[in-house]
Amino acid sequence: MGFKQLINSKKTLSLLAAFVLFGTDRLMAQATAAAADTAAADKSAMWTGVGYYVLLFLVAAFCVAILGKILRVYDLTQQMQGKKGVNWNGVMGICCILFLIAGMYGAYWSLTVQGSMKLPEAASAHGGAIDDMFTTTTILTLIVFVITQICLFGFAFVYRGSDKRKAYFLPHNNTIEKVWTIVPAVVLTILVVFGFFTWQRVENSSEVKGDLNIDVTGHQFAWEFRYPGTDGKLGSLNFRLTTPLNKLGVDFKDRNSFDDISADTLVLPVHQSIRLNIHAQDVIHSVYMPHFRLQQNAVPGLPTFFKFIPTITTAEMRRKTDNPKFEYLLYCNKICGGAHYNMQRVVRVVSQAEYQDWISKQKPYLTDQLKKELHFADNKTAVPAASNRLALNN
Amino acid sequence: MSTLAVHDHGVVHHEDGHEHHHKATFLNTYVFSQDHKYIAKQFLVTGIIMAFIAMSLSILFRIQLAYPDKSFPFLETLLGHFAPGGRLSPDFYMSLVTIHGTIMVFFVLTAGLSGTFANLLIPLQIGARDMASPFVNMLSYWFFFIASLIMLSSFLVQKGPASGGWTIYPPLSALPKAMPGSGMGMTLWLISMTLFIASQLMGGINYISTVLNMRTKGMDLWKMPLTVWALFLTAVLGVLSFPVLVAGVVLLIFDRSFGTSFYLSDIVLGGVPQPYEGGSPILFQHLFWFLGHPEVYIVIMPAMGLSSEVLAVNSRKPIFGYHAMVYSLIGISVLSFIVWGHHMFVTGMNPFLGGVFMITTLIIAVPSAVKTFNWLATLWRGNIRFTPAMLFAIGMVSFFISGGLTGIFLGNAALDINLHDTYFVIAHFHLVMGSAAIFGMLAGVYHWFPKMYRRMMDERLGYLHFWLTFIGAYLVFFPMHFMGLDGVPRRYYAFTEFESMKRWLTVNVFVTWSAIMAGIAQLAFAFNFVYSIFWGKKTVQNPWNANTLEWTAPIEHIHGNWAGEIPTVYRWPYDYSKPGHDEDFIPQTVPFSQTMSSNLPHDFEDNPGGLEEYTKWTNAQKANEAVK
Ligand code: HEM
Ligand SMILES: [Cu+2]
Ligand SMILES: [Cu+2]
């Protein structure tokens, strides 16, 4: 009886498949015809492409269906002969252990092959501490990862069910529960304490004498750099003063701004304490310099800072990475619009001497044109009063 | 006492209300149904459809990432001006990521997951006839439905849907000139989300009051299954945190449409200084993540509850450490309100504050770890029955481990400096939230399908679905960790502009094809689901030999769930394989007096009368032995 039904269903199934195949055929033929009409050759190619994948999918689905039917036939014949059918529980248990083995190998492969593609060693003084902490955390978590996954799939395999056994009634065990609450708590406390102090050190960006202040300003979709001149001080900013020539809105009432320098590469003297003054003009951007383990968002209306000491020059890093074209990069890491994916500048770490040489060749921010504009504007409109329009909310 | 009173009232009301509110019409049965079981199915089907849509969006942008230089004329036919020349435009790419994230997090894993299972299981597992307020419950679904339509309709807008990422940080989302998606698309996003939150609140308040007031006789809090605990705490989180997002969204609407500057200050657009002043973009991030972090637990806790139940039933063992499981859920719920700052370590928030958030964040890993260990202990020495639901629950645990461990990196502020907004974060939350929660949800669907549709799903298709999806998800997300460690940022349209990132192209191709494979595997599920609704094998009343109350309700759905009296509950829901009992399960409705041979002193901890009986019985037994 069951068999009869089965044969029937198999017939209908193959009929259906044939029908579907025929259908796709027709569809493709139609599409080709239509394409020929509009004389768009690539259109027809497109539909053949799509049709090809649809067909592939149907074939796969068909194979799965056939396989399913075969398994059912097997199951039924076994049952008719009074034997047990496929023991799916056992099969799934074995799948679990196979997955465990394959998965562990896969994770190992991924960790070694892809893991070796990670960033090279930190090129900043604070980066070393971060990398050490990363290594510690990795080791600890990997141990937990391996043990827990082995338990998970190992138990699933070992304790796969059968009618003969009964499970072990174990509602709780206070001792072991205490152990596995306290042990993670202690380990995490250690990680937190180290992390906390490292974080406080890294984030300390208060200004100290001798810091080289550099202005980094993000806007859609580029970064602007401004270096202080010989006075070592950056002139202050006021966004209301922004004009096509005074792109950053530098306030020239502040004498410190007269000798400021603009640049389009971030050149940094090695072993010098650098303090980035980070601004954004339109939306939030993020200054990301992963080689230095450095990231800080650029927020409109909220200047942020990041202080660090580069320790490896570009030339050295080229040697270390065995890549003569290596460059440090600064790129945007906060979604900021359509061209977010291409908002980068080269960062170059050089010796003090090279730096002095480079900075002396850079153009002043206060160009002759800008001077003219300012002079002209000087007596007409001074800086608009601090606030000529109160925001509605304050 | 109060529980009883309310419950009795419910019965009475039901009895005499029977005549008038029961004229079944097509509309009030199949569309505006107020029956929690039907609303659950509405949430489920809508959630599944939204999941398929969001998944298709992800396949589209994965194609772009794998083949950034290739053109696919097919895409132009499909998407028109969003894919000129057969290549996605950068702005549309952003829209795809944004809407994918929004739909998955909110519409699938919040509404689809909680909506389905809170509706189905809360009344059935605590022994109530329906939700506290069936009408509000119905409204909750329809608000969600309208919100979904509005969210999808943003694809019909000329400039495309919202595109600032699912976190919609202003000023990007506040300034229509900043990107095309910040125009009409963002307006629709905000409207949709406001309706969505209204839906969540109506649902959540209902779930909470139902659990608190409408439990059947004997169902005290410590006899509730973990599913109910999880769904209850999830609802509490939602009710407390979603209103904060409303505040954030309303201020954003003001900034966009009424010229305020809550989030805006010092802005220059296209070289022209704008009049905004005094606002703070960081404020929005605080408001967003005050919801956003509890939200990720709103997503995972129901999945934890469902998996706990499925693991216990199919290991034929009590869940290990029931009390610890409940306390860790409570701990996670409380802590999840004070960790939001870990999403903002590098935003310019005061570094000291960052340090504090780092401490709270790593504390929350402790209850998460306890839950994991308890699940493993539940499997240990079980008698495991691999139903598809069980496999998905095991998969959920595996993903939760893999993704949770990377949380320990990210929660460490110093490490987060370099990892924030890279693919490492993508890997973290797709494993711990995305995959784990989806697997919990699928476990629930396979397990409670017979309760919902009175038929069984096909097991072998379920197996195929599980293995393809499980392997596919790992192949997709595992390599992303290493891209993150190489400083590859998320939300990049292409990696072609960076010499150093080009070497990841082969990995991207691999990931895309894995994603396509996993995506196709979902068709096996869709087929199985639809086919089984109509032609699946008919179910028996308690197909999994489970203890919980829903399996004592008749197979045929009736309004009010149980014909006659609601069953009384005598014991906790996890008496599986109890020694001394002939069967390997004892439903919650079986009194201890019927299971004398398997009772344990522990069963009578807060029941002195019962303990006396028990001692008497054991003494009698002993005496008998002695006589013999
Ligand atoms: C084990 C404990 C966990 C810790 C310590 C942790 C930590 C973190 C941290 C610090 C971030 C921010 C990363 C960044 O943006 O730089 C993050 C992101 C995220 N986490 Fe977790 N997490 C944990 C578990 C979870 C769980 C259980 C879920 C969800 C169920 C989750 C979902 C997310 C999501 C969705 C994001 C990304 C949000 C976005 O930026 O789009 N995490 N996690
Ligand atoms: Cu950007
Ligand atoms: Cu979070």
Side-chain angles (χ1 to χ4, degrees):
Chain A
M1 273 263 288
F3 245 115
K4 221 176 193 172
Q5 229 176 345
L6 200 110
I7 292 166
N8 265 344
S9 71
K10 202 166 175 189
K11 236 188 228 155
T12 40
L13 203 86
S14 37
L15 217 86
L16 191 85
F19 182 74
V20 170
L21 287 183
F22 179 71
T24 11
D25 242 32
R26 290 288 316 213
L27 194 102
M28 273 167 57
Q30 267 177 12
T32 341
D37 275 349
T38 52
D42 59 328
K43 212 75 202 231
S44 91
M46 167 188 113
W47 283 116
T48 353
V50 173
Y52 170 73
Y53 283 109
V54 171
L55 197 70
L56 216 63
F57 167 72
L58 286 175
V59 169
F62 188 63
C63 291
V64 169
I66 296 273
L67 208 71
K69 286 290 157 194
I70 293 176
L71 281 171
R72 172 154 317 152
V73 173
Y74 175 75
D75 242 14
L76 283 177
T77 42
Q78 290 287 69
Q79 270 166 29
M80 276 195 320
Q81 292 168 10
K83 292 181 203 155
K84 278 217 179 117
V86 181
N87 173 8
W88 282 106
N89 219 46
V91 174
M92 286 301 120
I94 291 168
C95 285
C96 281
I97 200 74
L98 290 180
F99 175 82
L100 178 65
I101 295 165
M104 281 296 150
Y105 176 76
Y108 169 78
W109 182 88
S110 195
L111 272 162
T112 44
V113 175
Q114 291 168 343
S116 68
M117 289 161 77
K118 72 177 201 300
L119 292 164
E121 70 178 285
S124 63
H126 72 267
I130 290 182
D131 283 3
D132 289 345
M133 205 147 54
F134 179 82
T135 313
T136 320
T137 314
T138 310
I139 293 171
L140 285 174
T141 49
L142 269 183
I143 293 172
V144 179
F145 175 75
V146 171
I147 293 177
T148 47
Q149 299 281 5
I150 287 180
C151 286
L152 180 62
F153 291 101
F155 291 167
F157 170 71
V158 174
Y159 302 111
R160 64 191 183 282
S162 81
D163 301 336
K164 289 176 212 110
R165 271 190 322 117
K166 211 172 172 187
Y168 172 55
F169 185 81
L170 174 69
H172 66 116
N173 176 331
N174 291 347
T175 323
I176 188 140
E177 284 178 67
K178 272 180 209 146
V179 169
W180 66 43
T181 310
I182 291 168
V183 170
V186 171
V187 172
L188 284 167
T189 309
I190 297 171
L191 286 178
V192 167
V193 169
F194 280 110
F196 186 85
F197 288 112
T198 313
W199 164 253
Q200 296 292 349
R201 254 199 330 276
V202 171
E203 287 288 305
N204 179 4
S205 55
S206 49
E207 190 170 3
V208 177
K209 208 166 174 274
D211 288 347
L212 171 57
N213 275 289
I214 304 174
D215 232 24
V216 181
T217 306
H219 60 83
Q220 287 178 329
F221 295 98
W223 297 102
E224 313 288 341
F225 302 126
R226 186 165 61 112
Y227 282 72
T230 41
D231 61 357
K233 287 194 187 121
L234 286 163
S236 51
L237 297 173
N238 181 345
F239 81 101
R240 284 183 213 84
L241 302 174
T242 312
T243 62
L245 284 178
N246 187 358
K247 277 207 288 197
L248 302 179
V250 175
D251 186 352
F252 287 99
K253 287 207 157 154
D254 181 356
R255 308 191 119 263
N256 292 331
S257 62
F258 291 172
D259 60 353
D260 287 355
I261 290 163
S262 77
D264 51 16
T265 306
L266 190 63
V267 175
L268 306 171
V270 71
H271 298 308
Q272 155 86 45
S273 172
I274 314 278
R275 187 165 180 267
L276 299 179
N277 300 203
I278 299 166
H279 308 272
Q281 289 189 302
D282 35 31
V283 301
I284 302 177
H285 302 272
S286 184
V287 171
Y288 187 37
M289 294 163 56
H291 299 99
F292 304 92
R293 313 294 185 257
L294 183 165
Q295 175 165 213
Q296 183 70 59
N297 284 5
V299 186
L302 179 82
T304 52
F305 304 90
F306 202 106
K307 221 168 100 166
F308 69 111
I309 302 172
T311 50
I312 304 177
T313 63
T314 301
E316 263 176 277
M317 200 51 135
R318 285 181 179 167
R319 240 172 293 128
K320 285 191 183 196
T321 56
D322 220 4
N323 173 7
K325 282 194 268 178
F326 176 88
E327 294 284 9
Y328 293 122
L329 293 175
L330 181 166
Y331 44 97
C332 182
N333 198 18
K334 182 61 80 188
I335 182 171
C336 61
H340 169 54
Y341 70 104
N342 188 13
M343 189 169 153
Q344 54 172 317
R345 290 277 192 217
V346 168
V347 177
R348 205 160 280 148
V349 179
V350 297
S351 68
Q352 273 290 349
E354 285 168 297
Y355 173 73
Q356 293 306 341
D357 185 43
W358 173 84
I359 193 88
S360 65
K361 288 188 189 129
Q362 300 307 304
K363 291 190 208 76
Y365 182 86
L366 188 56
T367 54
D368 291 341
Q369 272 169 306
L370 183 54
K371 267 185 201 154
K372 230 186 256 164
E373 183 186 274
L374 283 170
H375 189 70
F376 177 65
D378 224 16
N379 29 18
K380 262 204 346 215
T381 49
V383 186
S387 161
N388 51 7
R389 176 179 176 282
L390 276 178
L392 287 176
N393 63 319
N394 21 283
Chain B
M1 198 56 228
S2 70
T3 322
L4 272 178
V6 172
H7 153 238
D8 280 342
H9 167 78
V11 173
V12 171
H13 165 79
H14 183 78
E15 261 19 305
D16 55 28
H18 223 269
E19 268 80 335
H20 43 261
H21 78 78
H22 250 269
K23 272 276 219 55
T25 62
F26 178 81
L27 265 190
N28 77 19
T29 317
Y30 295 111
V31 185
F32 299 108
S33 171
Q34 296 186 20
D35 186 306
H36 72 101
K37 301 181 289 297
Y38 195 79
I39 296 175
K41 290 195 268 185
Q42 289 177 314
F43 267 110
L44 178 61
V45 171
T46 316
I48 290 178
I49 293 172
M50 292 302 272
F52 269 89
I53 293 171
M55 188 182 74
S56 316
L57 302 183
S58 74
I59 302 269
L60 286 180
F61 64 69
R62 278 305 329 172
I63 290 178
Q64 157 64 25
L65 288 176
Y67 303 105
D69 306 317
K70 254 201 184 145
S71 101
F72 299 88
F74 174 64
L75 288 183
E76 189 168 11
T77 315
L78 191 69
L79 301 170
H81 70 283
F82 292 136
R87 295 185 53 194
L88 297 181
S89 73
D91 285 312
F92 190 65
Y93 174 88
M94 295 300 192
S95 296
L96 287 177
V97 222
T98 303
I99 303 297
H100 162 79
T102 309
I103 293 185
M104 283 297 192
V105 172
F106 293 112
F107 290 78
V108 179
L109 292 175
T110 304
L113 180 54
S114 280
T116 304
F117 290 103
N119 266 303
L120 180 73
L121 295 181
I122 287 180
L124 279 170
Q125 288 195 332
I126 64 169
R129 300 221 178 260
D130 205 314
M131 284 290 171
S133 171
F135 178 74
V136 174
N137 203 29
M138 174 193 79
L139 278 188
S140 159
Y141 171 74
W142 286 102
F143 269 70
F144 163 59
F145 183 77
I146 295 169
S148 311
L149 285 190
I150 294 178
M151 188 57 74
L152 293 178
S153 73
S154 62
F155 277 97
L156 307 176
V157 173
Q158 170 69 20
K159 286 182 170 176
S163 54
W166 77 283
T167 53
I168 56 151
Y169 284 1
L172 185 60
S173 60
L175 305 170
K177 279 189 216 143
M179 79 194 298
S182 295
M184 191 62 195
M186 183 52 72
T187 307
L188 289 172
W189 194 98
L190 293 169
I191 295 173
S192 167
M193 279 312 293
T194 312
L195 292 172
F196 179 87
I197 295 168
S199 148
Q200 283 309 297
L201 291 178
M202 287 189 280
I205 289 170
N206 240 324
Y207 309 151
I208 294 172
S209 52
T210 308
V211 170
L212 289 182
N213 296 324
M214 296 175 67
R215 299 189 308 278
T216 185
K217 206 169 140 205
M219 178 64 86
D220 57 57
L221 291 177
W222 288 109
K223 290 202 178 68
M224 296 199 307
L226 286 172
T227 34
V228 176
W229 267 111
L231 291 163
F232 168 66
L233 290 167
T234 302
V236 173
L237 283 192
V239 167
L240 293 180
S241 62
F242 267 116
V244 179
L245 183 62
V246 179
V249 162
V250 168
L251 299 192
L252 182 55
I253 292 176
F254 281 168
D255 272 9
R256 286 168 56 80
S257 309
F258 304 111
T260 56
S261 314
F262 291 106
Y263 304 133
L264 306 173
S265 189
D266 295 29
I267 287 171
V268 181
L269 264 186
V272 184
Q274 305 288 313
Y276 306 108
E277 216 173 305
S280 161
I282 306 287
L283 170 63
F284 179 84
Q285 301 179 13
H286 281 297
L287 293 175
F288 183 89
W289 287 114
F290 189 87
L291 157 87
H293 188 84
E295 167 64 18
V296 307
Y297 284 96
I298 288 173
V299 163
I300 199 68
M301 289 208 313
M304 289 172 163
L306 297 171
S307 306
S308 303
E309 180 67 20
V310 170
L311 284 169
V313 173
N314 291 297
S315 303
R316 311 308 295 157
K317 256 189 87 190
I319 191 81
F320 184 82
Y322 172 76
H323 282 79
M325 290 305 246
V326 174
Y327 285 124
S328 58
L329 280 177
I330 294 174
I332 288 175
S333 305
V334 173
L335 287 170
S336 73
F337 280 106
I338 48 168
V339 300
W340 79 89
H342 64 217
H343 297 273
M344 301 168 59
F345 285 139
V346 301
T347 55
M349 184 176 69
N350 185 318
F352 180 73
L353 206 51
V356 174
F357 277 120
M358 154 175 175
I359 295 170
T360 56
T361 298
L362 292 189
I363 294 176
I364 207 172
V366 176
S368 309
V370 169
K371 292 198 82 71
T372 309
F373 296 138
N374 283 5
W375 285 321
L376 296 179
T378 304
L379 290 177
W380 183 69
R381 294 186 65 180
N383 189 23
I384 297 171
R385 203 168 57 188
F386 291 106
T387 61
M390 181 63 172
L391 286 170
F392 276 100
I394 292 176
M396 182 270 171
V397 177
S398 174
F399 286 136
F400 189 73
I401 295 171
S402 308
L405 287 172
T406 49
I408 295 174
F409 294 78
L410 297 170
N412 187 330
L415 295 181
D416 190 54
I417 293 174
N418 229 43
L419 297 174
H420 178 64
D421 269 344
T422 65
Y423 268 80
F424 194 87
V425 177
I426 305 287
H428 161 70
F429 74 78
H430 276 89
L431 287 174
V432 77
M433 175 169 90
S435 303
I438 282 276
F439 270 48
M441 181 169 172
L442 287 168
V445 173
Y446 278 99
H447 193 79
W448 279 282
F449 190 87
K451 194 72 239 165
M452 284 189 272
Y453 294 100
R454 288 166 276 154
R455 288 169 189 276
M456 312 285 285
M457 285 178 85
D458 184 74
E459 291 223 319
R460 286 161 311 163
L461 263 181
Y463 294 147
L464 181 76
H465 175 215
F466 169 76
W467 285 109
L468 288 181
T469 314
F470 186 54
I471 294 170
Y474 265 124
L475 292 183
V476 168
F477 299 119
F478 206 77
M480 288 186 186
H481 292 114
F482 306 104
M483 295 176 70
L485 295 181
D486 192 37
V488 178
R490 70 196 280 198
R491 292 170 175 157
Y492 264 32
Y493 166 66
F495 301 114
T496 45
E497 308 301 322
F498 288 76
E499 204 50 53
S500 56
M501 294 179 199
K502 281 185 186 158
R503 63 205 181 115
W504 288 104
L505 190 65
T506 47
V507 175
N508 270 320
V509 173
F510 173 79
V511 166
T512 295
W513 280 103
S514 306
I516 291 175
M517 178 195 85
I520 288 174
Q522 304 317 305
L523 295 177
F525 169 73
F527 173 79
N528 197 351
F529 186 81
V530 175
Y531 181 89
S532 306
I533 287 179
F534 298 105
W535 302 288
K537 206 174 77 197
K538 287 241 164 74
T539 181
V540 293
Q541 189 175 15
N542 187 356
W544 316 119
N545 289 345
N547 288 343
T548 36
L549 274 190
E550 74 273 29
W551 305 107
T552 63
I555 302 175
E556 284 306 317
H557 286 177
I558 51 174
H559 189 70
N561 294 338
W562 285 271
E565 212 176 313
I566 301 180
T568 305
V569 164
Y570 298 97
R571 57 176 76 229
W572 77 325
Y574 295 108
D575 269 343
Y576 291 106
S577 300
K578 209 169 178 191
H581 193 73
D582 47 352
E583 271 177 316
D584 67 352
F585 69 112
I586 312 176
Q588 284 190 277
T589 48
V590 177
F592 285 110
S593 57
Q594 290 176 20
T595 59
M596 281 316 222
S597 59
S598 69
N599 292 350
L600 299 169
H602 183 73
D603 293 330
F604 304 103
E605 251 171 12
D606 35 37
N607 179 1
L611 191 60
E612 213 169 289
E613 289 290 312
Y614 171 76
T615 2
K616 237 188 260 166
W617 189 81
T618 38
N619 289 343
Q621 257 347 60
K622 269 187 207 139
N624 266 352
E625 297 274 300
V627 171
K628 273 180 201 164

